[in-house]
Amino acid sequence: VALCALLVTCGLVGLRGMSRQLHAPMGFQPEGAELVSTAMKMAGYTDATSLPVQRRMIQEAEQLPGVTAVGTIDEPPLNGGGSTTPVWREGTTDFRNSNSALMTKFFVISPGLLHAAGTRLLAGRDFTWHDGPNTPKVAIVNQTFAHELFGNAPALGRHFAMPGKHAPTLYEVVGVVEDGKYDSLTENPRPAMYYALGQDNENDTTLVVRSNRAPADIASALSTTLNKIDPTLPLTIQSWPEALALPLFPARVATVALGILGLLAAMLAATGIFGMASYTVARRLREMGIRVALGAQRAQVLRAALGRTVLLLGVGSVAGLLLGVLGSRVLASIVYEATVYDPFVLTGAVAAMTAIGALAALVPARRAVGVEPA
């Protein structure tokens, strides 16, 4: 019974986690967006020569019917994208890693990417094509970055330092965006920043195209349009939800596995409770007949017949719920916001164990209260 309660609880934790995961704030909105990945190096482009082609890809995609926003990113989050770098405070001269202010994820994006990705800009502005190699370096940071580096002070207009070839390079914060998920859905909020494509160009390019057309239609139109720009560019086109199938796979497998194990454990517990209750009633049938003949009420007969069964069911269920508290800590690494303290999980586990006990004891209980005194 305790094992059954544990697995039922973990199964409900997994289902609840999956439900939350499908509606979790990820810092972007994958529904309605297509990803076009291309390896520009394979077509002979370098970091210096790829920018005109990237801009033309954006401009051509924007002209397609039904397209509402287009932008590029070096690698999208949750798909292995984004590298990690240390960041130093303004005025720093010692650029050893041990002297850095924080470690942050960073991405290289074009103007319009935030709109195309559905990332909320909380303060400041987006990048523009005027943010180029001859203008001061600018960056957009997320909420966690702004809080960890600047505290509660406004981040807009503030600077942070990065090591340069001859002197430190200062980046001005021109925008603050919402926090997101970058490596996994179960990660805690972490700092992240975005560089402007015109200032820190990257050869790796993923075009994010948001449209109100069917995925198959927009994918076909994108393939035709982008192949006209350069037929040698290798293209991989898929919807953003499809691209997230791999990051979501562990949680989905865990949920299905826990559900199956919970169902098998429920069957095992129901069988055991039924067998124990039936054996108790059969062994004490004469005693119950005598109790009825002496005037015992139905409730008294049921208490005598099934009292031990109910006690074991209650103790085992409580033990299983306590084990579920420990199990949820293990599940937290693969299930989004795994916790047994959710009212849905607690109510569901108690209801499931009550239903299992009631169904399993139904036949023995009817036999006990229907005993013939003679």
Side-chain angles (χ1 to χ4, degrees):
V1 170
L3 177 62
C4 171
L6 167 64
L7 292 176
V8 167
T9 301
C10 290
L12 290 172
V13 168
L15 289 173
R16 189 62 163 171
M18 178 58 68
S19 174
R20 285 174 169 167
Q21 192 178 71
L22 295 175
H23 302 90
M26 295 186 289
F28 57 90
Q29 302 294 329
E31 293 78 14
E34 293 286 314
L35 299 183
V36 184
S37 302
T38 180
M40 303 194 72
K41 288 182 180 179
M42 296 182 64
Y45 294 98
T46 65
D47 290 344
T49 61
S50 59
L51 183 59
V53 179
Q54 291 166 328
R55 291 194 63 172
R56 189 179 172 194
M57 291 170 64
I58 295 173
Q59 292 167 353
E60 294 294 334
E62 286 176 335
Q63 301 304 314
L64 294 175
V67 172
T68 57
V70 183
T72 65
I73 187 171
D74 51 348
E75 286 288 342
L78 292 182
N79 285 84
S83 301
T84 303
T85 182
V87 169
W88 290 265
R89 299 186 188 278
E90 183 179 6
T92 300
T93 56
D94 182 359
F95 288 97
R96 289 177 296 180
N97 286 349
S98 58
N99 197 40
S100 63
L102 53 84
M103 293 292 293
T104 178
K105 297 283 291 185
F106 72 90
F107 302 86
V108 179
I109 65 173
S110 73
L113 184 278
L114 297 179
H115 185 199
T119 300
R120 290 186 298 129
L121 183 65
L122 305 178
R125 66 172 178 87
D126 193 1
F127 294 135
T128 70
W129 291 114
H130 296 294
D131 297 317
N134 299 321
T135 60
K137 296 281 190 177
V138 293
I140 296 173
V141 302
N142 71 352
Q143 292 170 285
T144 300
F145 183 108
H147 178 73
E148 291 189 7
L149 193 62
F150 306 117
N152 295 325
L156 293 182
R158 302 288 294 274
H159 296 81
F160 60 88
M162 300 292 290
K165 292 182 179 179
H166 306 291
T169 302
L170 288 181
Y171 282 81
E172 179 185 352
V173 176
V174 296
V176 179
V177 297
E178 62 180 320
D179 286 341
K181 302 295 183 181
Y182 308 107
D183 290 326
S184 74
L185 287 172
T186 57
E187 69 185 15
N188 294 321
R190 60 183 303 182
M193 65 178 178
Y194 302 87
Y195 294 132
L197 178 67
Q199 294 182 335
D200 296 272
N201 192 27
E202 272 285 342
N203 213 319
D204 296 328
T205 301
T206 297
L207 197 69
V208 180
V209 181
R210 184 165 297 277
S211 75
N212 50 29
R213 296 172 62 179
D217 292 342
I218 190 63
S220 176
L222 284 170
S223 178
T224 302
T225 299
L226 298 179
N227 278 324
K228 291 179 180 178
I229 297 175
D230 187 346
T232 65
L233 272 176
L235 302 176
T236 301
I237 304 176
Q238 60 181 336
S239 69
W240 207 340
E242 289 177 351
L244 292 176
L246 185 59
L248 293 175
F249 182 73
R252 288 175 173 167
V253 169
T255 300
V256 172
L258 289 170
I260 294 174
L261 289 173
L263 180 62
L264 294 175
M267 294 170 60
L268 178 64
T271 304
I273 292 169
F274 173 80
M276 183 176 65
S278 297
Y279 175 72
T280 301
V281 171
R283 191 180 64 174
R284 301 178 64 183
L285 200 59
R286 288 192 177 194
E287 173 199 334
M288 293 174 195
I290 296 172
R291 286 177 181 271
V292 173
L294 293 175
Q297 300 300 314
R298 284 190 172 189
Q300 294 172 311
V301 175
L302 283 174
R303 192 180 304 117
L306 302 175
R308 184 168 180 269
T309 301
V310 173
L311 178 63
L312 289 176
L313 179 65
V315 173
S317 298
V318 171
L321 285 172
L322 293 176
L323 290 173
V325 174
L326 301 176
S328 66
R329 296 178 181 176
V330 178
L331 291 176
S333 61
I334 54 175
V335 176
Y336 181 72
E337 291 187 357
T339 176
V340 298
Y341 302 112
D342 189 307
F344 170 84
V345 174
L346 288 174
T347 304
V350 171
M353 296 308 299
T354 302
I356 290 170
L359 291 173
L362 179 63
V363 174
R366 293 184 61 181
R367 187 179 181 191
V369 298
V371 64
E372 176 56 52

